[in-house]
Every structure is written in structure tokens, then in C-alpha cells.
């Protein structure tokens, strides 16, 4: 089974040289720590920056330079700043190559719910709806089950949707899945996790085709 | 062509109860803090505020919330504000949540004279309820309308007496698309210079979108999430 960093490491294997990538808050943010050696990746922050760098060293924080999580950050050489309308032109216009975000639920048809729990204080969707409606390539990084132990990979989402038919790939602590026409296709198992365990934790339709390899982390 | 007003109090002249105002910034980054302070001082009530976020307790739009001056918020994300949550749950405050890219584009459209446009964001979600949807090139889109307001209030780094603006780093955010989306657009700047001092090649927002400009008295520029790495 993987921890949060393990999930991030596995997702980092999806990166390709030259990619522009938008990382959501939570586990997705950790992906930036595992960029393969020698690969040139540019991170987009939807509040208005390409080439987002690490947090500043103490004393060099700048109130005018934050990321979409409102954290102080830095910009790397070759980066650029722009306004919110231009930022979402990059996103809607499919110029961002990969979006990684968290989810509360994903359906076997690729629907995603990650912004609202009825009865709880709703904070808003931020840029999530624009991102999932537009990205060519969306990977969901999440825990396989919720705090109550219920599967988050479902036949149909029960929570209000963020987007429909958009998720391409899911990485959880147990496995990697592709969303296909026929359901969640099991691609890889996490180290030490059996197909049976994955099946048990997956409520939506699971497709197991032949031997399922263990991930190489 | 002199658009300069003395201070924030003069800039918000004519901004009355029950008006709709558009305010720039992302979180607390690049917010028009001097104008917000003037609105608190003036005590205008029943405001509809269009802003990506709603500030925090004790700063930004949180100051207007504290004084019960806001009737309705139109935003994409309103977390991190206990007073906001209290007023929302008690029914004192109305909220409309809009996807962030849609919010930016609706403001830009308002300033650009485009009454509506189609976006894929929110299709088949509750955001699209009651809205026209249409298929283009095999994909479904939702029709969204422009946003306009009585006042748009934005913040820039440098400005000149003609209203030309230059922004610094990630403070461009909503400040740029919101310029011109109000009947009156107010720009508060950290440094105001005579026309001719800014290089025309470096202007981000041309002065035509700005009606009133002033140099803010004081910028606290509070940081919401101070994150650092070891030296």
C-alpha cells in the first residue's frame, strides 16, 4: 500500500518532458517533489503564473507572489505572470497538458465530485470546474476509501458533480486505474496489495484483464 | 485627462447603499485595501460584492462582512472566514458560487461589451441549472452572461495620472479582467506618477478602463498562508 508520497511518486511517472502541468491542493501538490531527473516540467498556478517554483526561504516571502492555495511561492527562470482570464484561457483552451487533482468521489464513467457536501459549509469550487471541463488529461489522486471506509470509486457519484466524463486515470494508495467505456480498468497494483483487496474496496465496475503488474516505485 | 482623486474617500464618492461592486484580488493578494477601508468608514450597506474570495476575519472583505455591509457575495471560493460562515448559515448573507474561470471571463466580458459566451465549465452540474446549453464541435457548453457593476475597484502597483496601470507579480489576477467592468472603475496604486513617466510598452491595463485613480495611503499586504522552506 502507498502513502501520500507514494501516490505522488507514481503520478510523477506520468509526466513527460515539456509538459505544462496544473497541480491541485493536497496530494497533487506533492507530485512536484518527484519530477524525474532531467525532465523539463512547467507548473501552472491558476491565480496567474507559469514556472512556479518552491516556497521561498524565510525572509524572502513576497505578499504579491502566491500560488492558487494562497501560499507564498517563488517563480523559476523563464516563468511568467498573467491575469485570471488569461490563466483560464490556457486551461479552457487545452494548452495545459496535465491536470492532477483530488476527489471525494469518481464514477466508473469518469464523473468527478470534489467541491460540495450537502449539509456542510460549502466553500466553493474555485477553479476545479474549469479545470475538469477542459483538461485533455486529468489524473485523480486520492485515497481509495473515505473516512467512513466507503469506496470512493463508485458506479455513480452521490455528491454534487464537479464535471462529467472527464477523469482519465486514478491513482490511489491501492492501485492505478484507467476510466474506460466499461468501467475502472485495473492497470497496476500497489506493492503488496492483491487484486481481491482492490476489488473489495471498489464499488464501481472493476475490469481485471489478465495478470495485473505491481507498480514500480 | 487628469483622473486623480485625493484619496480613497473621494474615490468612492457616489457609491451608495444596495449597489453592486466588483473587487479585484485573489485571496488577500492584490486587494484594494484602501478602498475597502473607506467603504467600512462610509458604512454603505446592502452591497452585492463580486470578488473571487471574501477575505478573512478582520481583513479584506472580512472587514465589510464584520459590519454587515454585504448582502450578497458572488465568488468562486469563500473558505477561511468564520464570520462569513456564521452569516451564511444564519441566512443574513446570500452567496452565489461561480467557477473561477467563468467568473474571470464574465468580468472580462462585462468590460469588453460581450453580453454572453459559452464555456464547458459546469456543464451537467448544478452550476448549469436553468442556463442554456449548446453543443459545439461535439462538446457541450453552458451559456454565461457578462458581469457589470456600479463600481469596479481594483489595485495596481504603479499608475499614472491618465489611469494607465502596471501590476506586480501575481497581483494581476482578477484586477486586470475587472478593469472597466464597472460604470466607474477605481484604481488604487502603490505609486502614482505623472503621465509620461511609465513606458507605454510596459502598461498592462490602458487608462481608458479607469475613471478614478489614487495613491493608497498605506498597504499592509497581509499574507494569508506564509510558507517557507529551510535556508
Amino acid at each position: 500500500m502507498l502513502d501520500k508520497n507514494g501516490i505522488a511518486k507514481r503520478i510523477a511517472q506520468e509526466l513527460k518532458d515539456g509538459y505544462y502541468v496544473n497541480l491541485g491542493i493536497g496530494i497533487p501538490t506533492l507530485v512536484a517533489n518527484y519530477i524525474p531527473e532531467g525532465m523539463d516540467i512547467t507548473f501552472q498556478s491558476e491565480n496567474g503564473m507559469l514556472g512556479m517554483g518552491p516556497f521561498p526561504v524565510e525572509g524572502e516571502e513576497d505578499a504579491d507572489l502566491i500560488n492558487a492555495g494562497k501560499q507564498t511561492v517563488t517563480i523559476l527562470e523563464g516563468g511568467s505572470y498573467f491575469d485570471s482570464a488569461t490563466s483560464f484561457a490556457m486551461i479552457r483552451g487545452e494548452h495545459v497538458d496535465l491536470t492532477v487533482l483530488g476527489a471525494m468521489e469518481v464514477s466508473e464513467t469518469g464523473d468527478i465530485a470534489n467541491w460540495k457536501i450537502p449539509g456542510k459549509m460549502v466553500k466553493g469550487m474555485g477553479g476545479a470546474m474549469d479545470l475538469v471541463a477542459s483538461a485533455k488529461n486529468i489524473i485523480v489522486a486520492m485515497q481509495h476509501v473515505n473516512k467512513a471506509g466507503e469506496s470512493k470509486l463508485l458506479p455513480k457519484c452521490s455528491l454534487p458533480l464537479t464535471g462529467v466524463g472527464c477523469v482519465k486515470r486514478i491513482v490511489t494508495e491501492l492501485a492505478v486505474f484507467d476510466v474506460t467505456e466499461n468501467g475502472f480498468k485495473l492497470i497496476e497494483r500497489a506493492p503488496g496489495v492483491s487484486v481481491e483487496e482492490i476489488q473489495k474496496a471498489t464499488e464501481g465496475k472493476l475490469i481485471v484483464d489478465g495478470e495485473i503488474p505491481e507498480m514500480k516505485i | 485627462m487628469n483622473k486623480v482623486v485625493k484619496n480613497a474617500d473621494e474615490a468612492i464618492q457616489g457609491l451608495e447603499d444596495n449597489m453592486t461592486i466588483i473587487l479585484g484580488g485573489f485571496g488577500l493578494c492584490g486587494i484594494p485595501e484602501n478602498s475597502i477601508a473607506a467603504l467600512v468608514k462610509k458604512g454603505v450597506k446592502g452591497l452585492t460584492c463580486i470578488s473571487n474570495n471574501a477575505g478573512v476575519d478582520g481583513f479584506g472583505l472580512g472587514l465589510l462582512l464584520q459590519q454587515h455591509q454585504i448582502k450578497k457575495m458572488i465568488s468562486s471560493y469563500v473558505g477561511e472566514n468564520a464570520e462569513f460562515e456564521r452569516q451564511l448559515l444564519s441566512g443574513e448573507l446570500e452567496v452565489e458560487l461561480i467557477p473561477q474561470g467563468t467568473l474571470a471571463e464574465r468580468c472580462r466580458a462585462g468590460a469588453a461589451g460581450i453580453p454572453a459566451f459559452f464555456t464547458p465549465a459546469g456543464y451537467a452540474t448544478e452550476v448549469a441549472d436553468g442556463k442554456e446549453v449548446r453543443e459545439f464541435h461535439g462538446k457541450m457548453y453552458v451559456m454565461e452572461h457578462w458581469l457589470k457593476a456600479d463600481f469596479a475597484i481594483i489595485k495596481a502597483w504603479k499608475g499614472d495620472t491618465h489611469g494607465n496601470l502596471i501590476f506586480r507579480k501575481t497581483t494581476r489576477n482578477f484586477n486586470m479582467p475587472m478593469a472597466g467592468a464597472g460604470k466607474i472603475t477605481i484604481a488604487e496604486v502603490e505609486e502614482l506618477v505623472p503621465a509620461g513617466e511609465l513606458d507605454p510598452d510596459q502598461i498592462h491595463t490602458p487608462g481608458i478602463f479607469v475613471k478614478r485613480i489614487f495613491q493608497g495611503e498605506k498597504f499592509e499586504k497581509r499574507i494569508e498562508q506564509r510558507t517557507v522552506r529551510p535556508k
Side-chain angles (χ1 to χ4, degrees), chain A residues 180-194:
Chain A
T180 68
E181 278 182 5
N182 304 312
F184 299 115
K185 187 169 195 296
L186 184 56
I187 302 294
E188 291 171 15
R189 296 171 294 112
V193 176
S194 70

Side-chain angles (χ1 to χ4, degrees), chain A residues 38-200:
Chain A
M39 200 177 273
D40 192 4
I41 300 293
T42 305
F43 290 107
Q44 198 244 21
S45 190
E46 67 267 24
N47 60 310
M49 173 183 14
L50 277 169
M52 181 169 53
F55 296 140
V57 294
E58 205 172 336
E60 288 178 12
E61 314 93 286
D62 184 340
D64 290 340
L65 180 47
I66 64 167
N67 64 16
K70 295 158 194 162
Q71 297 169 308
T72 45
V73 286
T74 56
I75 193 163
L76 299 177
E77 268 179 29
S80 58
Y81 300 116
F82 38 85
D83 67 89
S84 299
T86 304
S87 177
F88 283 92
M90 293 172 192
I91 290 165
R92 267 189 253 96
E94 298 187 3
H95 306 288
V96 174
D97 298 295
L98 174 66
T99 292
V100 184
L101 74 178
M104 298 172 188
E105 294 177 347
V106 178
S107 83
E108 62 191 31
T109 56
D111 298 351
I112 177 171
N114 72 352
W115 76 283
K116 180 176 182 179
I117 301 174
K120 285 207 175 163
M121 164 72 186
V122 182
K123 295 186 168 182
M125 66 291 279
M129 284 194 181
D130 309 272
L131 281 159
V132 302
S134 316
K136 283 181 284 196
N137 194 1
I138 299 177
I139 299 180
V140 163
M142 67 175 189
Q143 302 294 330
H144 205 101
V145 297
N146 65 20
K147 281 180 188 139
E150 297 157 341
S151 180
K152 292 165 71 172
L153 285 82
L154 303 168
K156 204 168 177 280
C157 293
S158 64
L159 295 168
L161 294 176
T162 308
V164 290
C166 50
V167 177
K168 302 283 186 290
R169 183 162 267 206
I170 305 161
V171 180
T172 76
E173 75 278 21
L174 300 182
V176 179
F177 307 88
D178 274 350
V179 178
T180 68
E181 278 182 5
N182 304 312
F184 299 115
K185 187 169 195 296
L186 184 56
I187 302 294
E188 291 171 15
R189 296 171 294 112
V193 176
S194 70
V195 172
E196 290 68 35
E197 284 171 90
I198 296 163
Q199 177 73 69
K200 226 178 113 194

Side-chain angles (χ1 to χ4, degrees), chain A residues 46-49 54-59 61-74 81-85 88 92 94 115-116 121-130 133-135 160-164, chain B residues 26-27 29 53 76-80 84-85 88 97-102 104-105 108 119-127 139 168-174 176-177 190 221-231:
Chain A
E46 67 267 24
N47 60 310
M49 173 183 14
F55 296 140
V57 294
E58 205 172 336
E61 314 93 286
D62 184 340
D64 290 340
L65 180 47
I66 64 167
N67 64 16
K70 295 158 194 162
Q71 297 169 308
T72 45
V73 286
T74 56
Y81 300 116
F82 38 85
D83 67 89
S84 299
F88 283 92
R92 267 189 253 96
E94 298 187 3
W115 76 283
K116 180 176 182 179
M121 164 72 186
V122 182
K123 295 186 168 182
M125 66 291 279
M129 284 194 181
D130 309 272
S134 316
L161 294 176
T162 308
V164 290
Chain B
F26 186 101
C29 182
N53 312 94
S76 88
Y77 190 83
V78 293
E80 300 26 293
F84 184 95
E85 188 166 347
L88 181 63
L97 295 168
I98 295 179
Q100 196 172 109
T102 300
E105 193 63 15
R108 199 192 75 80
T119 174
Y123 173 71
T125 74
E126 63 182 56
V127 162
K139 187 170 169 172
R168 189 170 173 271
K169 302 187 177 181
T170 56
T171 66
R172 287 162 175 78
N173 55 51
F174 281 83
M176 282 179 69
E190 291 179 49
K221 296 217 236 174
R222 201 182 282 190
I223 292 174
E224 204 165 334
Q225 305 279 347
R226 186 180 300 273
T227 44
V228 293
R229 73 188 139 104
K231 270 188 191 171

